[in-house]
Amino acid sequence: MWSLLPWLARHRKYSYDGGILITPPIFPMPIPLLMPVVVLLMLFLPVAATADWYKQEQAIMGTRIVVEFWDEDKVHAEQCAEQVFNEMRRIDALMSPYKPNSELSRINQQAAGQAIQISEELFNLLEKALQMSQLSNGAFDITFSSVGHLYNYREGIKPSEADIQQSLAAINFRHVLLNKTNRSVHFARSGVRIDLGGIAKGYAVDNGIAILAKCGIKGGLVSAGGDSRILGDRGNRPWMMGVRHPRKKDAVAVTLPLSNTAISTSGDYERFFIEDGKRYHHIISPSTGKSVSTTWSATVIGPDATTTDALSTTLFVLGPEKGLQLVESLEGIDAVIIDAQGQMHYSSGLMPPTPEPAPAGPEIR
Ligand code: AMP
Ligand code: MG
């Protein structure tokens, strides 16, 4: 079974940012009442100025990494943030399918011919990925890449129907044979390729949070694209995070407060191109080798980002009905799925959201 850490949600009403649209908590006090508070704060300014929310961003793993936390000491903050970014770079060098020298690429090059020994770290993550495949009956499947690698979304390239049919049989997580005794991986047939794009960013975020915790940080956030994890809260308040509207630029579909938890969103707007009115995007149905068309976005809230990352991709593939059925069977997991009609579906652990005003701005595709 998928190993889920025991997790108690302090708030049963959550939110998410899609890793992008993080909004600070809204101060609930009317402006005139705020004035004495401002004056008081100014009296303490020399003290307050030494401590602050520290925020850094870098582009790593083909995405935007954000690290934000409270630290009294700017030099210490800079050192801790750099450790997080270095960890992201290390994981990218290990797991990128685009870097020919990564350990993952070595597996793709060699594991069809023979069983090859791999690092404990990669072995453990492969095990988790396969557990998610079992749990989702193959909706989450890292061998999607056997067909998936034929797409290039940036350049608008897709495989022909014949290419898809030729490679489709190589998609099956059961082709990935792990041997714990000698920590090896072997592909059961040729043509199999794996890609950890649906789980590795969450794993990197978890490691980033572990680094911040080791640094003594009590409140902060690490996010990598659509995967975020929050350590503690944001100064005795939850983080206010919005799920991005999948079809309205810069608009938020739902905003909810979140503390001490992980959250991931998978969306069909992340990497895609449109040809003849059809959207080709990066989340692939393992049974067809084509982009999933039942879902616009899937957001998952859970104990750690490795879990929420893998589950958000899984729910995207499963769609609202089967996806929420899976969520209800898991302890400590909640989800919001926006279907291909723009309808929002919530798991039972979430309170109905406060309706957002109709998002402004032009429709985007
Ligand atoms: P995410 O944004 O976390 O949903 O990850 C999307 C990424 O997951 C894609 O870019 C692929 O690398 C990978 N992926 C696509 N389809 C699948 C699938 N069916 N199972 C597992 N990973 C997938
Ligand atoms: Mg994911």
Side-chain angles (χ1 to χ4, degrees):
M1 268 300 278
W2 182 247
S3 63
L4 297 168
L5 300 174
W7 176 61
L8 284 175
R10 275 203 288 140
H11 307 271
R12 296 303 284 170
K13 196 178 173 205
Y14 311 92
S15 77
Y16 179 53
D17 78 307
I20 299 163
L21 301 167
I22 300 167
T23 51
I26 298 153
F27 213 90
M29 230 182 240
I31 301 282
L33 292 181
L34 263 178
M35 287 320 287
V37 180
V38 172
V39 172
L40 259 177
L41 275 178
M42 285 171 76
L43 287 175
F44 287 100
L45 206 57
V47 178
T50 59
D52 208 349
W53 284 93
Y54 175 86
K55 186 175 178 183
Q56 279 287 329
E57 291 181 25
Q58 285 191 23
I60 309 172
M61 302 196 294
T63 196
R64 192 174 73 122
I65 311 291
V66 181
V67 180
E68 188 173 358
F69 53 93
W70 179 264
D71 201 332
E72 313 269 319
D73 178 346
K74 190 157 183 271
V75 176
H76 178 255
E78 262 158 22
Q79 284 167 353
C80 295
E82 203 44 45
Q83 280 182 47
V84 174
F85 293 128
N86 284 340
E87 174 65 1
M88 303 281 178
R89 280 186 277 269
R90 187 189 67 78
I91 291 171
D92 191 35
L94 192 74
M95 300 184 189
S96 169
Y98 306 108
K99 292 190 159 67
N101 294 326
S102 70
E103 192 174 0
L104 185 109
S105 292
R106 188 170 68 89
I107 295 174
N108 279 336
Q109 289 149 15
Q110 301 174 2
Q114 65 201 310
I116 61 166
Q117 232 189 4
I118 58 172
S119 64
E120 189 176 0
E121 184 175 17
L122 199 49
F123 189 92
N124 290 343
L125 201 57
L126 289 182
E127 254 191 339
K128 280 207 167 154
L130 295 184
Q131 283 167 1
M132 184 51 82
S133 297
Q134 296 278 2
L135 189 68
S136 65
N137 215 356
F140 186 89
D141 191 331
I142 54 173
T143 68
F144 85 90
S145 179
S146 310
V147 173
H149 83 281
L150 301 170
Y151 292 87
N152 184 327
Y153 304 100
R154 204 168 288 166
E155 293 177 19
I157 294 170
K158 63 180 194 316
S160 69
E161 193 60 42
D163 290 341
I164 293 176
Q165 293 316 319
Q166 202 184 357
S167 303
L168 197 55
I171 301 184
N172 190 332
F173 66 94
R174 294 177 189 86
H175 295 329
V176 181
L177 309 171
L178 294 182
N179 184 339
K180 229 183 173 108
T181 359
N182 59 1
R183 223 175 54 213
S184 72
V185 57
H186 188 197
F187 294 158
R189 52 162 286 165
S190 61
V192 176
R193 271 171 172 267
I194 57 169
D195 183 328
L196 292 169
I199 190 170
K201 286 203 291 298
Y203 173 72
V205 164
D206 282 338
N207 284 8
I209 284 291
I211 288 169
L212 289 191
K214 218 170 162 187
C215 267
I217 305 300
K218 299 282 185 286
L221 170 140
V222 175
S223 87
D227 304 293
S228 304
R229 184 159 165 187
I230 292 164
L231 180 67
D233 53 26
R234 206 181 195 286
N236 295 325
R237 291 166 180 281
W239 289 75
M240 297 300 288
M241 299 168 94
V243 177
R244 180 183 155 164
H245 193 290
R247 290 296 181 272
K248 304 242 180 196
K249 198 173 184 319
D250 299 330
V252 168
V254 59
T255 305
L256 297 154
L258 206 74
S259 302
N260 218 11
T261 193
I263 180 156
S264 294
T265 292
S266 296
D268 67 358
Y269 46 81
E270 295 272 357
R271 265 187 277 158
F272 72 98
F273 65 91
I274 291 179
E275 197 180 289
D276 299 330
K278 197 170 153 54
R279 179 181 292 251
Y280 297 88
H281 67 86
H282 67 144
I283 303 175
I284 302 293
S285 160
S287 54
T288 64
K290 295 175 185 170
S291 305
V292 174
S293 54
T294 50
T295 316
W296 280 356
S297 85
T299 297
V300 175
I301 301 148
D304 63 87
T306 313
T307 303
T308 56
D309 187 4
L311 268 176
S312 70
T313 313
T314 304
L315 295 201
F316 191 102
V317 175
L318 288 175
E321 201 180 315
K322 284 188 181 158
L324 289 183
Q325 218 175 320
L326 174 60
V327 168
E328 299 301 342
S329 75
L330 302 171
E331 204 180 323
I333 302 290
D334 277 305
V336 183
I337 302 178
I338 306 182
D339 67 24
Q341 282 72 49
Q343 200 71 38
M344 302 186 69
H345 304 259
Y346 296 87
S347 65
S348 61
L350 293 174
M351 284 156 76
T354 321
E356 296 281 331
E363 290 267 349
I364 54 158
R365 293 206 300 166

